[in-house]
Amino acid sequence: MKLVINERRCKGCNMCTKVCPYGIFHEGKRPGSRGYIIPVLDHPERCTNCRLQKLYGRQLCGMCQMICPDQAISWIDEKPFEPQKVVIEY
């Protein structure tokens, strides 16, 4: 799974940046197509929902999606052989 922010729906409230327990979202610096400053994804591979949703067969966290008033955050399926970045944190 891959985390996606729909720039056409996002109004830049940055609630996702405050609620994410993994610190994936950060306040953006450039305006989107509608003129709002869209949050950016910093290390989206940390998201447990992205990594483990298929393994467990259910949504694991999803706090960002639940708090988003514009329903601009979603997950999409990745291509089967799309390279994935692996991060090992100690």
Side-chain angles (χ1 to χ4, degrees):
M1 302 297 285
K2 184 177 182 180
L3 188 63
V4 176
I5 300 174
N6 185 340
E7 291 190 12
R8 298 178 73 201
R9 295 187 118 182
C10 180
K11 67 178 178 202
C13 68
N14 286 315
M15 293 192 63
C16 55
T17 62
K18 293 166 182 48
V19 75
C20 179
Y22 303 104
I24 294 169
F25 299 93
H26 290 282
E27 293 184 24
K29 296 187 180 1
R30 66 171 183 83
S33 59
R34 294 180 28 202
Y36 298 118
I37 307 259
I38 308 297
V40 293
L41 297 172
D42 182 36
H43 301 295
E45 63 275 1
R46 289 183 186 167
C47 178
T48 58
N49 209 41
C50 292
R51 290 182 290 131
L52 304 172
Q53 186 176 20
K54 283 194 174 185
L55 179 67
Y56 286 98
R58 62 182 174 89
Q59 187 164 333
L60 298 173
C61 179
M63 291 298 295
C64 56
Q65 187 180 36
M66 286 187 274
I67 199 79
C68 182
D70 303 310
Q71 298 177 347
I73 299 172
S74 61
W75 287 270
I76 59 171
D77 286 326
E78 292 180 290
K79 297 175 187 170
F81 300 108
E82 188 172 333
Q84 297 183 3
K85 185 177 179 182
V86 175
V87 174
I88 299 173
E89 296 181 12
Y90 295 97

